[in-house]
Amino acid sequence: MHRTYTISVKDLLKKEDNLLTVLFSSPVIYANKMQDKSYLPAFTVPERGFTHIRKASCMFGWDWGPNLPDMGIWKDVVLCGYSGGKIDDVLIKQTHKDSCVYLDILTKVEDFKTKTLSLKAKVFNPDGELIKTACIDNIAGQTNKFEIKIDNPSLWWTNGLGAHPLYTVEVSLFEDGKECDTNKKRIGLRTFKVIQTDDEYGRSFTYELNGKKIFAMGADYIPEDNILGRVSEKTTKHLIDSCVSANFNTLRVWGGANFPFDWFYDLCDENGILIWQDMMFACGTYELTEEFEATVREEVYDNVKRLRHHPCIAMWCGNNELEMFWSEDRYGKDVNPKLKQDYYKLFEDIFPKIFEEIDGERLYWPSSPSSGGMEANANGENYGDMHYWGVWHEKEEFTAYRRYFPRFMSEFGIQSYPSMKTVNTFTEEEDREMYSPVMQNHQKNPAGNGLITYYIRQNYSEPKDFKDAVYLSQMIQAEGLRYGVEHLRRNRGRCMGAIFWQLNDCWQTPSWSSIDYFGRWKALHYFAKRFFAPVLLSAEENGTTVKIVVTNDTLTDFEGFVKCSLKTNKGEILREENFSVNVKKLDAKQITIFDFADIIKTETDKSKCYFEYSLYNGEDLISTNDVLFVKAKDFDFEKPNINVTLEEDGNDLFISLSSDTFVKAVELDLKTDDCLFTDNYFDLSPCVTKRVRIEKMLSKRLSKKDLEEQLVINYLQK
Ligand code: BMA
């Protein structure tokens, strides 16, 4: 599934009536049979033997997806004809020096030795204008090198840091002056490194783009559909647009699936989203037979050659969690020791050599998580990347995130249900409860429903009904990850990445995703837009103290002011303080620590106060939030009167909300239609009007009257 097969049909073709027949055998029977022959221990997956076959592992079932392995060819079949010669490969290398970029365009040609061949390279700037041409006459096959200098290059930046200009390099092959093959690649001019330097904590793991140390923010990407034929450029575009809106700059393409379609990488190039690219191995053991080794080598050649020109590709990674499982001895004592040797051979010997040969520039990282290889505490926090699952799988409280200081967090997550509209698509009225057979069948993490209930009850009151449980599940997920991400960003420098598990879903399911199968944003995605804000003000509460920190992930120093107030549930101000703040570019700075022990003296005081903090740049509100001193279930919410007004201004629809008491987690939704709001799942402070715009309709356009009829408002109630 991960390979491209090129088969010569020249001697088979007839003038007409050519028929291509492809025979498939069952992947399930094959995997099961092989498992009987040679047992390969693995995790998560219900189908036996999935690591024996080179097919998206998650198709055999995962803890968020059904066991539905399909059969067939999932990409186009093309018939190609050549004469004279053909371009086999184009590798473009960049050197950035003295404000210029030098391109080395290495072109490998297969020469059929019939006529004289020549090559021409053209470079077009981001506006499509031809800026450079170079020719090589009378080539003799093999690798030919063009050297092209680009003056005044427009650099490629990630989302939030700058533009994402794309240049086009076109290489054409001529047979006696007549074009016989051409190869076009879009590139971005940028330098990229993963900086690993020993320091007081261990070793850094920092993305450096055009010489700037950037903090990676984003999520893990899984297949968009279990049935790949239903994935289209349109579905991917909605996801990538949603990543851009929520201030992402990185996605990790997880190794338990398939390499995404070309348009996925094109969209990431166009939108400044970096890709951590896993190879397709996950959560199990693999046996390195001669046949297996040969095929996985080809996979890497095929995919790396296909993808390496994309500016979005940040780094390559060998696999998902294989090294961690070995390092934690999770396969048991009886596991065949050869499998461990096979692991080393493939991921620490064969793959590094291939990546060096066909890329040579990007980091090849053996596994996620890893501390750098040879299973030296693979999932340790001081080296490399980390997957932290104490919150969720081990029922740790959200505050547990604050105990860890990973150099780069590449997985952590909490499950939630998709919206009721999504649930309604696969249920009848009587199925709409957590433990109905239908709902349970869609919950693929055996402990999932129990953990959702556990976290809801730890933080909120008993859900009134299933609909309320859905809403509360989204709130625990969003709040929990806010704890995690804000902590990581407060520790910018020591930690340089917050990639949460997971962006999307492959069917209608409760899962760790922030966007559901139909593209509906869960509360988490709105929270992500806030906690990934380029300049973030965040607070760390502890007893009666609150520490506030500004994290500046922009390329300019930030100057502004912070407004803080301790308020009662009715909005009375108990204490108020304002500060001017200056935070250097690409830095995090603690502003102050408050201690409210003189005001918050009793448990009753704790349950009636909240701390609100806002960051302004002039008049503009940049970042705002609040913290409670008790769990939301113990907070003394007063019954609010919420005032809602709707306005229409040209094509825009606005919703303004205000309340006479403090309200938490206001959810806006439409009865039948779907849209994205500029903000959602926010808190309302008395006397502060919140104005939200409909940012994008996902279904038909609404008039103000439609909105009046459709708008549903929900909020956290005791
Ligand atoms: C991670 C992933 C997936 C899984 C997720 C949730 O470790 O790599 O295998 O879906 O945990 O359990």
Side-chain angles (χ1 to χ4, degrees), residues 44 62-64 254 283 320-321 387 389 393 411 501 512:
T44 311
W62 215 260
D63 56 4
W64 35 258
W254 169 75
C283 302
N320 175 70
E321 294 185 342
H387 293 186
W389 284 101
H393 288 305
E411 274 191 21
W501 184 265
W512 298 266

Side-chain angles (χ1 to χ4, degrees), residues 254-526:
W254 169 75
N258 52 280
F259 290 94
F261 295 96
D262 286 335
W263 66 69
F264 171 85
Y265 300 96
D266 287 339
L267 284 161
C268 292
D269 287 347
E270 288 159 17
N271 289 286
I273 303 291
L274 289 169
I275 298 298
W276 168 314
Q277 180 67 55
D278 282 4
M279 299 300 108
M280 296 303 143
F281 303 85
C283 302
T285 51
Y286 294 81
E287 192 177 4
L288 205 56
T289 60
E290 218 174 282
E291 189 191 6
F292 188 88
E293 183 188 321
T295 199
V296 298
R297 274 174 180 272
E298 291 308 316
E299 277 173 21
V300 175
Y301 280 111
D302 285 347
N303 287 289
V304 173
K305 283 185 177 180
R306 174 170 72 98
L307 301 177
R308 66 189 171 189
H309 64 280
H310 286 279
C312 69
I313 303 277
M315 54 179 278
W316 311 106
C317 171
N319 63 70
N320 175 70
E321 294 185 342
L322 268 53
E323 185 186 329
M324 180 182 85
F325 285 139
W326 282 118
S327 95
E328 293 174 0
D329 252 335
R330 301 261 284 271
Y331 298 116
K333 276 198 271 332
D334 298 334
V335 66
N336 179 357
K338 181 186 174 281
L339 295 177
K340 196 171 187 177
Q341 292 317 312
D342 285 353
Y343 175 84
Y344 287 134
K345 194 170 167 209
L346 185 60
F347 296 103
E348 299 200 6
D349 181 27
I350 297 174
F351 278 6
K353 285 181 189 146
I354 301 182
F355 282 99
E356 184 53 38
E357 176 200 334
I358 53 174
D359 183 317
E361 285 179 349
R362 291 180 179 88
L363 172 71
Y364 164 74
W365 189 241
S367 185
S368 179
S370 174
S371 290
M374 293 309 267
E375 53 156 320
N377 192 13
N379 202 22
E381 59 185 316
N382 295 327
Y383 296 85
D385 67 320
M386 182 181 187
H387 293 186
Y388 173 68
W389 284 101
V391 176
W392 185 254
H393 288 305
E394 284 157 40
K395 286 192 172 172
E396 293 273 12
E397 283 204 36
F398 299 156
T399 46
Y401 284 127
R402 294 177 178 166
R403 295 206 301 265
Y404 296 88
F405 297 86
R407 309 317 303 261
F408 192 109
M409 188 84 110
S410 46
E411 274 191 21
F412 58 117
I414 297 169
Q415 268 204 357
S416 70
Y417 287 98
S419 77
M420 279 311 290
K421 283 185 209 160
T422 297
V423 169
N424 292 347
T425 61
F426 66 91
T427 52
E428 302 286 349
E429 188 70 51
E430 63 273 20
D431 305 320
R432 290 174 198 148
E433 53 125 338
M434 233 185 242
Y435 290 96
S436 69
V438 174
M439 285 306 296
Q440 271 190 289
N441 185 40
H442 278 248
Q443 169 59 276
K444 295 301 183 192
N445 179 194
N449 285 342
L451 286 169
I452 290 179
T453 311
Y454 172 80
Y455 280 107
I456 289 180
R457 287 303 287 121
Q458 202 183 51
N459 293 283
Y460 303 111
S461 306
E462 182 78 32
K464 285 183 255 320
D465 49 28
F466 179 65
K467 191 170 151 275
D468 197 29
V470 168
Y471 161 75
L472 291 174
S473 75
Q474 292 200 13
M475 289 318 302
I476 51 151
Q477 183 192 31
E479 275 291 353
L481 288 205
R482 182 173 75 84
Y483 268 79
V485 171
E486 290 186 348
H487 161 72
L488 298 171
R489 290 193 66 193
R490 277 195 291 273
N491 289 283
R492 190 192 196 285
R494 182 169 178 179
C495 172
M496 286 304 279
I499 308 297
F500 68 76
W501 184 265
Q502 73 205 60
L503 175 69
N504 56 321
D505 282 333
C506 66
W507 73 322
Q508 307 97 311
T509 180
S511 85
W512 298 266
S513 71
S514 61
I515 300 178
D516 80 17
Y517 176 66
F518 292 112
R520 296 187 174 112
W521 286 23
K522 293 177 173 178
L524 172 58
H525 210 76
Y526 284 102

Side-chain angles (χ1 to χ4, degrees), residues 529-540:
K529 186 174 179 179
R530 300 200 289 260
F531 60 56
F532 285 149
V535 184
L536 170 77
L537 174 65
S538 69
E540 185 179 325

